[in-house]
Amino acid sequence: MNWLDEICWDASGLVPAIAQEAGSKDILMVAWMSRQALQRTLELGEAVYWSRSRKRLWHKGEVSGHVQKVESIRLDCDGDVVLLTVRQLGHDPGIACHTGRHSCFFRELRQGEWATVEPVLKDPEQIYT
């Protein structure tokens, strides 16, 4: 059996993928992967996702320069979530989010409201030119 066949792909042929920073163990982002995206990730050693909005493969950092170098690929016990351990590299090391923050998880529920708890490290208008 091919290792890709052991993954429980959803009806659209996708699986959620969590990107976790190798050093800090911070969860940087959650995205989706197709079979082709996961195969390319293994081949390149860099994260490649499936962009549901663009309907195409998305090599993380192709526009922003914020590349994710993959150190390990894990599969959860049910076979329906992939965990990538990554090193966030590129023009602005440490930025994974399109908002210019370290992580996409920059809001925290406080007293019934979402509060921004992480700073913008670089203005997105300077990243996406």
Side-chain angles (χ1 to χ4, degrees):
M1 177 183 281
N2 181 311
W3 62 275
L4 289 167
D5 295 333
E6 296 182 45
I7 296 172
C8 296
W9 306 96
D10 73 8
S12 299
L14 303 174
V15 66
I18 300 167
Q20 181 181 39
E21 190 171 43
S24 70
K25 304 297 184 200
D26 288 346
I27 301 300
L28 299 176
M29 57 181 278
V30 175
W32 294 89
M33 296 182 105
S34 62
R35 292 175 71 95
Q36 186 181 11
L38 191 49
Q39 182 67 49
R40 290 291 293 150
T41 296
L42 180 65
E43 292 167 2
L44 294 174
E46 295 180 352
V48 177
Y49 301 106
W50 176 259
S51 172
R52 294 182 300 168
S53 60
R54 298 177 208 134
K55 306 276 191 253
R56 67 171 179 82
L57 291 178
W58 160 45
H59 185 170
K60 176 69 173 147
E62 66 189 22
V63 175
S64 67
H66 301 147
V67 175
Q68 293 176 342
K69 185 76 174 160
V70 177
E71 293 195 355
S72 71
I73 302 172
R74 292 184 179 213
L75 185 63
D76 80 329
C77 58
D78 294 322
D80 60 1
V81 179
V82 171
L83 174 66
L84 303 178
T85 304
V86 303
R87 295 241 177 246
Q88 191 67 47
L89 306 172
H91 303 299
D92 306 296
I95 296 177
C97 184
H98 75 281
T99 65
R101 291 178 173 86
H102 173 65
S103 168
C104 294
F105 296 93
F106 60 87
R107 292 180 283 196
E108 183 175 356
L109 189 59
R110 293 185 177 174
Q111 300 177 341
E113 295 184 12
W114 292 109
T116 299
V117 296
E118 299 291 333
V120 172
L121 302 176
K122 187 169 186 178
D123 183 340
E125 289 187 20
Q126 295 177 344
I127 296 170
Y128 300 98
T129 57

